[in-house]
Amino acid sequence: MSAEQATALVLRTYDFSESSLVVTLFTREFGKIRGIAKGAKRPKNPFDFALDLLSLCRVVFLRKSSEALHIITEAKLQRRFRVEQSGLPRYYAALYVAELLNAMTDEEDAHPELFDVSEETLTVLQKGGDIQLLVPFYELRILDLTGHSPALDMCVSCGESVRGRASAQSREEGHPTSGANARQEYYFSLLDGGVLCGRCRPGKRGVVLVPAIAIDAMEELRGKTPRDVGSLHIAPSVSGQLRGLLGQYVCHLLGQRPRMHEYLGLSGR
């Protein structure tokens, strides 16, 4: 066994025995790892609360060559995200970040950029960031960085550009439009992961109508960092549409509804 060092976010912990914990960590250097921290539940332990949920820590672990749990030998706390002090909704959003990071990544698959954006998102949440934009921002970033980026410009089925075709589509389907971007709508396929043109729409399952202004907002979010999100001027109604769409897409990819959707008010979307 070789000893490795890493900077890690604590995503999940559960009891292994009366004195030990199994921890799921997302590390900058190695991606997601699972390990056992022996003696972590004892009053005097070598981890000093560094393995609490939503903590940022520096860990040393003995790497196992098989699928067995790694052995966490040391953990030094660098920062504890106390998001609950900024309000319960933000705490739920922080737990959602941890849940998605756990559910949408593979073990031993390093994503330094995803680690950085996750840490920064938790920092902004702790400082009172707007969860109406931070939640869809983070969903979009983790989708992009894990290879599930939704196609927003071209038809995901045939590759044809769909920008500018929304008004015609709406008229064909009997949806009133005035030509304004806010009234235009696009077809979005949850199964295929992107917008559809009018010719490819028939016969497709899992298709929802999305206002063009919400698609534009997603494009705008893509070019931002968590710290930039608060400076965006996106109407609450649009951010709500984003949360609904991205929440549904995440559910499809995972094959189930994330546990934190219920607490974030997304369970009925």
Side-chain angles (χ1 to χ4, degrees), residues 97 100-101 114 117-118 121 134-142:
V97 167
L100 285 186
L101 201 48
L114 180 54
V117 76
S118 301
T121 299
L134 278 170
V135 167
F137 163 82
Y138 186 76
E139 289 172 325
L140 188 59
R141 289 301 289 138
I142 198 170

Side-chain angles (χ1 to χ4, degrees), residues 187-253:
Y187 300 118
F188 187 96
S189 171
L190 298 173
L191 277 64
D192 298 318
V195 293
L196 292 167
C197 67
R199 287 194 297 271
C200 294
R201 164 64 183 93
K204 292 282 187 178
R205 297 182 297 108
V207 176
V208 295
L209 278 172
V210 183
I213 194 170
I215 298 292
D216 292 341
M218 272 199 284
E219 291 281 20
E220 190 173 7
L221 282 176
R222 268 186 170 158
K224 297 295 185 290
T225 69
R227 299 178 192 277
D228 297 332
V229 169
S231 65
L232 298 179
H233 300 289
I234 297 177
S237 60
V238 177
S239 64
Q241 292 162 346
L242 285 179
R243 291 181 67 180
L245 173 62
L246 289 170
Q248 288 182 78
Y249 185 37
V250 166
C251 288
H252 166 70
L253 289 174

Side-chain angles (χ1 to χ4, degrees), residues 83-230:
V83 186
E84 70 278 2
Q85 296 179 355
S86 297
L88 204 53
R90 291 186 183 86
Y91 179 59
Y92 290 153
L95 294 178
Y96 185 46
V97 167
E99 183 178 10
L100 285 186
L101 201 48
N102 187 17
M104 296 191 67
T105 56
D106 297 322
E107 292 192 29
E108 305 281 346
D109 185 13
H111 280 285
E113 187 176 356
L114 180 54
F115 179 93
D116 292 342
V117 76
S118 301
E119 180 186 356
E120 190 174 350
T121 299
L122 292 172
T123 298
V124 175
L125 282 169
Q126 181 172 270
K127 293 181 177 179
D130 181 7
I131 65 171
Q132 300 299 323
L133 289 178
L134 278 170
V135 167
F137 163 82
Y138 186 76
E139 289 172 325
L140 188 59
R141 289 301 289 138
I142 198 170
L143 288 168
D144 287 346
L145 293 172
T146 56
H148 300 290
S149 180
L152 302 179
D153 291 319
M154 296 184 296
C155 175
V156 73
S157 183
C158 71
E160 179 183 349
S161 174
V162 297
R163 290 288 190 176
R165 294 177 56 85
S167 294
Q169 289 180 197
S170 296
R171 286 194 296 271
E172 289 173 6
E173 294 295 317
H175 299 289
T177 66
S178 61
N181 198 44
R183 300 293 296 275
Q184 295 177 350
E185 292 177 306
Y186 291 98
Y187 300 118
F188 187 96
S189 171
L190 298 173
L191 277 64
D192 298 318
V195 293
L196 292 167
C197 67
R199 287 194 297 271
C200 294
R201 164 64 183 93
K204 292 282 187 178
R205 297 182 297 108
V207 176
V208 295
L209 278 172
V210 183
I213 194 170
I215 298 292
D216 292 341
M218 272 199 284
E219 291 281 20
E220 190 173 7
L221 282 176
R222 268 186 170 158
K224 297 295 185 290
T225 69
R227 299 178 192 277
D228 297 332
V229 169

